[in-house]
């Protein structure tokens, strides 16, 4: 219900915002002020959180840093606006932020009715299941008869019902109002299974008494494609945001990483030469310099590096690549060619 | 003593003996003094007291050892990441608080500039403490410094003017933001509340209805709504490129909100003053402002000290609502750091909340104690 009202408010706001939306030339404005204003979440492990020094880190944060690197050759030329879930769309519409990179699910209504454009999917999330390893379960289809801890009144609960009835399985829902209560109940062993978005499951696993005794099952039963978004009405800025994302993925496809960048700059491979600005004027056509991708990879790395550093194997979260692997490895990440 | 003795000797020569100094008081009987007596009177006076005492002692014995064990004996004090706080039966993860302490105090305020916050805090303490202790002289200069000069200095230091490197308010956080919001709210709400309370009792229709509308509007909407409107809706109505500082918007919202509550508390005090006081002041030919300043308000404000301090404490704790608009106060920044995967561990969240609770308690308990002291001091006991 709240969601409906809020989207109605945001939608109404979007309508009144014709004037705001028409203010194109975000790139010029950003260059003039010297930094990108980037909307992030108010704390989500691995996506946007602060480290010991108080610096923002995470997957969502690194997307903004990549944009700053492409435009300014400086990943620090970003200012972060931590936004609550209800604030995020109006902040973008009203021009308070230039790009929204805040674990936002790409849905049709948001894409069409809210006056914003989604750039791409930086993280394919979805509702998953976590179980104690001692149960020896390796697929959600073996969960018939299990008791499942879930937060009440969320789409998570509805997805759960749909999934079990579609597969003709029985289950006992153990429903709680607050997230903390669900965590405590699962930790105390009051249920066999914990279900929520898989990125959340990995974060929650870290706070359990024995994280290694719990596994996240491979099935995702809902679609939660998370990605950054920009204001509608400025195609140049939209293009830059899109190509920063494609550039990150394409660099990984071509095997260009922050470690081998110098060798790659000497490469004769025509794809690599085009990507790194050795041939053509692809960067200039977009409004940037031709070595835009060099700057991104030098400062931030390619998509795989960003993923592993923030949420993957090099982070405490240990999230598997799964759907977020390159299409060549059975995932969905596909960088459009730079030609 | 001996001189007096000599003089009285002359007057009482005919009396055989007059004792002119007191006997030394005897020590009380053993059973009526000492620790044993204190126990008997305070804890075991009646059978009912005895039962209650034993129950309370059992309760404490049940709750305290695990608490101390958690907070001290099995707590983790050193460590650089979550690994330190993992393990069976591990207590509080103070290493987390230690690693994040700078953030909890200053938010993301640049480390090299944090001396400015420290200096502001020292100035505040140095000017506030003498003002709070009644026996220290120069109250008027002290008050002028604290209310006029200090805010200007604090503004210059914290935001960075006159050549100091500027620090944007979105980098402020932690206890700094909590104190800035609370102190601005307190300092603005008291005088504004007095004016609104007087306005509401005024006979001038415009003043009266303007006060009523202001009070009822701000009291009628939740603080979250006010903050949310100021943060989300306001930018939509402003022309392109015009933005107000987010912290400033929150400050204005909180100050107005607290003023409305304060006004009603003070109005309660005004209503408790007998009509005779007003009439006596009028009979003496005092003007309206003289009457209020010299007769009515000193009595009314003394009466409602508990209510005023109640509002202050409520305001201090309400500051944590600024999290809703993405400003990280003490509680907000503690919660933000729960999301740091390098510190996610079973005890991290509980430890963080315990730390925040402790800091809030110190401030609120301090305010409460000082208000009790002022009440006793200002109590002229005509009731």
């Amino acid at each position: 219900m709240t969601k409906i009202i809020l989207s109605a408010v945001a939608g109404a706001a979007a309508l009144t915002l014709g004037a705001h939306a028409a203010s194109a030339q975000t790139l010029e404005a950003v260059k003039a002020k010297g930094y990108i204003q980037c909307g992030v979440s108010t704390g989500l492990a691995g996506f946007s959180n602060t480290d010991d020094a108080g610096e923002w880190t995470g997957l969502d944060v690194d997307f903004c840093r990549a944009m700053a690197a492409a435009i300014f050759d400086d990943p620090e030329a970003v200012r972060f606006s931590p936004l609550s879930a209800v604030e995020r769309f109006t902040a973008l519409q009203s021009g308070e932020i230039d790009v929204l990179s805040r674990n936002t699910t790409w849905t049709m209504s948001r894409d069409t009715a809210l006056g914003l454009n989604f750039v791409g999917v930086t993280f394919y999330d979805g509702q998953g299941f976590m179980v104690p390893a001692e149960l020896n379960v390796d697929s959600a289809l073996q969960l018939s008869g299990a008791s499942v801890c879930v937060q009440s009144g969320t789409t998570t609960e509805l997805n759960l019902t749909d999934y079990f009835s579609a597969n003709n399985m029985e289950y006992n829902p153990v429903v709680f109002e607050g997230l903390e209560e669900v965590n405590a109940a699962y930790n105390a062993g009051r249920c066999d299974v914990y279900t929520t978005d898989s990125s959340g499951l990995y974060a929650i696993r870290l706070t359990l008494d024995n994280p290694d005794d719990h596994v996240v099952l491979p099935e995702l039963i809902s679609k939660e494609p998370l990605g950054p978004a920009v204001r509608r009405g400025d195609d140049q800025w939209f293009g830059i945001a899109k190509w920063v994302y494609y550039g990150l993925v394409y660099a990984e496809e071509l095997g260009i990483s922050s470690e081998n960048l110098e060798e790659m700059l000497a490469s004769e491979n025509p794809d690599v030469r085009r990507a790194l600005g050795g041939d053509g004027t692809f960067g200039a056509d977009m409004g940037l310099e031709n070595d835009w991708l060099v700057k991104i990879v030098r400062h931030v790395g390619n998509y795989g590096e960003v993923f592993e550093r923030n949420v993957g194997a090099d982070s405490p979260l240990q999230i598997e690549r799964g759907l977020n692997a390159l299409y060549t490895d059975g995932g969905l990440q596909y960088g459009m060619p730079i030609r | 003593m001996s001189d007096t003795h000599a003089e009285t000797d002359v007057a009482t020569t005919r009396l055989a003996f007059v004792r002119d100094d007191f006997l030394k008081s005897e020590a009380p009987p053993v059973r009526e003094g000492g620790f044993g007596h204190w126990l008997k009177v305070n804890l075991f006076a009646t059978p009912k007291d005895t039962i209650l005492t034993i129950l309370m002692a059992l309760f404490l014995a049940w709750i305290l050892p695990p608490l101390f064990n958690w907070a001290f004996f099995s707590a983790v004090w050193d460590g650089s990441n979550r690994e330190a706080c993992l393990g069976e039966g591990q207590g509080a993860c103070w290493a987390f608080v230690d690693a994040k302490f700078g953030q909890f105090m200053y938010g993301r305020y640049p480390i090299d500039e944090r001396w400015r916050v420290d200096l502001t805090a020292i100035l505040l303490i140095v000017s506030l403490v003498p003002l709070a202790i009644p026996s220290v002289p120069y109250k008027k200069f002290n008050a002028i410094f604290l209310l006029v000069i200090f805010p200007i200095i604090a503004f210059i230091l914290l935001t960075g003017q006159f050549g100091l490197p500027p620090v944007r308010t979105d980098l402020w956080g932690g206890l700094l933001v909590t104190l800035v919001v609370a102190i601005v709210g307190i300092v603005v709400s008291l005088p504004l509340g007095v004016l609104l309370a007087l306005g509401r009792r005024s006979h001038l229709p415009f003043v009266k209805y303007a006060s009523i509308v202001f009070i009822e509007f701000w009291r009628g909407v939740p603080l979250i709504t006010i903050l949310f409107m100021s943060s989300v809706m306001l930018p939509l109505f402003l022309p392109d490129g015009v933005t107000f500082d987010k912290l400033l918007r929150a400050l204005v919202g909180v100050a107005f909100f607290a003023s409305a509550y304060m006004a009603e508390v003070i109005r309660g005090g005004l209503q408790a003053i007998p009509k005779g006081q007003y009439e006596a002041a009028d009979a003496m030919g005092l003007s309206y402002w003289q009457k209020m300043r010299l007769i009515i308000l000193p009595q009314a404000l003394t009466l409602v000290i508990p209510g005023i301090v109640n509002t202050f404490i409520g305001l201090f704790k309400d500051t944590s609502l600024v999290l809703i608009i993405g400003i990280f106060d003490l509680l907000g920044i503690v919660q933000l750091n729960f999301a740091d995967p390098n510190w996610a561990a079973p005890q991290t969240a509980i430890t963080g909340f315990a730390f925040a609770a402790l800091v809030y308690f110190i401030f609120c308990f301090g305010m409460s104690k000082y208000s009790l002291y002022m009440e006793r001091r200002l109590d002229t006991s005509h009731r």
Side-chain angles (χ1 to χ4, degrees):
Chain A
M1 190 62 203
T2 347
K3 224 174 182 175
I4 297 171
I5 295 173
L6 285 171
S7 15
V9 169
L15 286 180
T16 61
L17 274 170
H20 283 287
S23 64
Q25 302 315 314
T26 312
L27 180 63
E28 295 310 311
V30 163
K31 275 183 175 166
K33 63 185 177 180
Y35 60 89
I36 298 175
Q37 192 79 40
C38 169
V40 293
S41 81
T42 53
L44 182 66
F47 289 83
S48 47
N49 58 263
T50 53
D51 63 10
D52 286 357
E55 292 297 323
W56 285 97
T57 63
L59 188 80
D60 285 348
V61 166
D62 276 351
F63 178 78
C64 288
R65 293 206 189 277
M67 285 193 76
I71 297 169
F72 298 108
D73 195 16
D74 176 11
E76 301 299 318
V78 195
R79 291 187 184 174
F80 294 99
S81 298
L83 299 169
S84 62
V86 286
E87 275 182 306
R88 53 186 165 181
F89 298 123
T90 29
L92 186 60
Q93 288 153 356
S94 67
E96 278 202 2
I97 56 174
D98 303 311
V99 54
L100 176 73
S101 182
R102 189 202 176 282
N103 56 293
T104 302
T105 307
W106 185 346
T107 64
M108 181 173 174
S109 63
R110 284 174 179 172
D111 205 3
T112 54
L114 288 187
L116 47 86
N117 283 328
F118 279 91
V119 166
V121 180
T122 50
F123 188 88
Y124 287 96
D125 205 351
Q127 187 175 339
F129 297 99
M130 177 164 63
V131 293
E134 64 189 21
L135 289 185
N136 283 321
V137 172
D138 48 21
S139 161
L141 294 169
Q142 301 170 321
L143 290 178
S144 190
S147 56
V148 184
C149 275
V150 63
Q151 207 177 349
S152 69
T154 55
T155 48
T156 316
E157 198 184 359
L158 300 175
N159 292 337
L160 177 69
T161 317
D162 292 351
Y163 181 76
F164 274 80
S165 65
N167 289 295
N168 286 321
M169 297 194 297
E170 295 288 315
Y171 76 106
N172 304 313
V174 182
V175 181
F176 293 94
E177 191 68 39
L179 191 66
E180 294 292 321
E181 298 159 42
V182 191
N183 294 352
Y186 179 74
N187 200 16
R190 287 186 57 188
C191 44
D192 310 320
V193 186
Y194 189 137
T195 181
T196 186
D197 286 353
S198 72
S199 59
L201 286 177
Y202 285 99
I204 288 157
R205 186 169 71 158
L206 288 182
T207 67
L208 298 175
D209 285 342
N210 295 303
D212 298 337
D213 294 350
H214 302 269
V215 288
V216 177
L217 300 178
E219 283 89 352
L220 296 182
I221 63 168
S222 72
K223 285 181 172 177
E224 303 285 344
L226 308 180
V230 294
R231 227 177 351 268
R232 191 176 292 175
D234 185 347
D235 287 350
Q236 185 193 28
W237 185 247
F238 181 37
I240 291 171
K242 244 186 339 191
W243 279 96
V244 166
Y245 161 64
Y246 290 139
L248 283 165
V249 177
Y250 194 53
E252 190 188 4
E253 274 182 49
L254 294 178
I256 308 169
S257 73
S258 56
E259 275 155 23
N260 67 7
L261 182 62
E262 299 309 321
E263 300 155 35
M264 282 294 180
L265 280 171
S267 167
E268 290 300 322
N269 180 334
D271 281 336
V272 174
R273 283 186 59 79
R274 278 192 293 266
L276 297 184
D279 283 335
T281 56
F282 301 104
D285 294 345
M286 182 166 63
L288 302 178
E289 280 156 36
N290 284 331
D291 61 347
W292 61 283
L293 190 53
V294 178
K295 293 170 183 165
I296 293 179
V297 175
R298 178 177 295 141
H299 294 298
V300 185
N302 63 35
Y303 177 79
E305 289 178 281
V306 169
F307 188 96
E308 300 296 357
R309 181 173 64 227
N310 291 305
V311 297
D314 300 338
S315 83
L317 288 168
Q318 303 284 331
I319 299 181
E320 304 282 333
R321 281 295 287 269
L323 288 177
N324 295 296
L326 293 179
Y327 74 106
T328 47
D329 301 332
L332 291 173
Q333 295 292 355
Y334 185 101
M336 304 301 158
I338 296 175
R339 267 205 302 271
Chain B
M1 205 60 188
S2 56
D3 286 350
T4 347
H5 199 256
E7 283 164 30
T8 45
D9 262 358
V10 183
T12 57
T13 39
R14 267 192 281 162
L15 291 173
F17 175 75
V18 173
R19 174 169 271 284
D20 56 3
D21 51 353
F22 286 104
L23 276 173
K24 270 189 193 153
S25 54
E26 295 278 337
V30 180
R31 291 179 55 190
E32 295 297 314
F35 184 62
H37 177 68
W38 183 88
L39 278 182
K40 187 162 182 257
V41 171
N42 290 297
L43 297 178
F44 300 101
T46 64
K48 208 165 70 183
D49 286 4
T50 310
I51 293 171
L52 282 177
T53 303
I54 292 172
L55 283 179
M56 282 311 291
L58 286 175
F59 177 72
L60 289 179
W62 176 60
I63 198 113
L64 285 184
L67 186 67
F68 275 89
N69 186 33
W70 177 81
F72 300 107
F73 305 125
S74 58
V76 180
W77 301 90
D78 300 308
S80 52
N81 58 41
R82 62 189 291 272
E83 302 292 333
C85 293
L86 292 179
E88 243 4 271
Q90 205 72 276
C93 181
W94 296 117
F96 165 71
V97 175
D98 186 45
K100 306 283 186 177
F101 190 76
Q103 271 190 76
F104 291 174
M105 292 298 114
Y106 308 97
R108 297 172 54 235
Y109 211 91
I111 291 170
D112 295 340
E113 304 296 327
R114 285 181 182 172
W115 62 270
R116 282 153 48 179
V117 183
D118 295 337
L119 182 61
T120 313
I122 291 169
L123 276 177
L124 177 66
I125 294 168
V126 164
S127 53
L128 187 64
V129 168
L131 195 67
I133 300 172
S135 58
V136 178
Y138 304 116
K139 283 277 179 287
K140 194 179 263 181
F141 296 107
N142 207 333
I144 290 175
F145 177 81
L146 187 63
L147 293 175
V148 181
I149 302 175
F150 172 74
I152 298 173
I153 298 178
F155 177 78
I156 292 171
L157 278 175
L158 292 180
T159 58
Q161 312 280 338
F162 301 114
L164 285 170
V167 177
R168 310 182 319 266
T169 56
D170 61 314
L171 295 179
W172 300 17
L175 189 62
L176 168 65
V177 157
T178 298
L179 287 178
V180 165
V181 175
I183 291 175
V184 168
I186 285 170
V187 169
V188 172
S189 70
L190 191 58
L192 197 57
V194 169
L195 289 180
L196 285 168
L198 293 177
R200 192 163 187 173
R201 288 168 60 84
S202 162
H203 298 299
L204 307 170
F206 177 76
V207 174
K208 180 173 180 174
Y209 288 107
S211 301
I212 291 178
V213 167
F214 184 93
I215 292 171
E216 294 304 332
F217 172 76
W218 288 98
R219 225 160 46 119
V221 271
L223 183 54
I224 284 197
T225 313
I226 294 172
L227 293 174
F228 192 63
M229 288 289 284
S230 76
S231 152
V232 178
M233 299 309 281
L234 192 64
L236 294 177
F237 305 131
L238 292 172
D240 236 5
V242 179
T243 51
F244 287 115
D245 189 280
K246 214 171 180 180
L247 184 65
L248 182 67
R249 286 185 246 158
L251 283 178
V252 172
V254 168
F256 282 1
F257 185 79
S259 303
Y261 275 86
M262 191 57 73
E264 289 298 281
V265 169
I266 291 167
R267 194 166 66 93
L270 292 176
Q271 278 175 345
I273 305 299
K275 213 171 176 210
Q277 298 285 327
Y278 291 88
E279 286 166 357
D282 289 337
M284 290 175 73
L286 296 182
S287 75
Y288 177 81
W289 290 110
Q290 281 175 326
K291 176 172 73 177
M292 287 302 158
R293 190 165 57 84
L294 298 171
I295 312 280
I296 307 299
L297 281 177
Q299 299 185 68
L301 290 180
T302 316
L303 272 180
V304 292
I305 285 177
I308 293 178
V309 176
N310 214 10
T311 312
F312 285 170
I313 291 177
L315 171 64
F316 190 84
K317 292 190 288 191
D318 278 352
T319 53
S320 55
L321 291 176
V322 295
L323 178 65
I324 199 87
I325 56 171
I327 298 175
F328 294 104
D329 72 314
L330 176 64
L331 187 62
I333 203 125
V334 169
Q335 281 180 297
L336 169 66
N337 279 294
F338 295 164
D340 185 349
N342 285 323
W343 280 103
Q347 297 294 333
T348 306
I350 309 172
T351 312
F353 281 131
F355 173 77
L358 184 70
V359 176
Y360 277 106
F361 179 80
I362 290 171
F363 280 94
C364 294
F365 188 67
M367 279 195 271
S368 163
K369 276 287 157 197
Y370 183 69
S371 89
L372 284 178
Y373 166 75
M374 281 318 276
E375 258 175 72
R376 274 199 303 276
R377 208 186 115 74
L378 297 174
D379 183 14
T380 43
S381 296
H382 33 193
R383 279 172 300 278

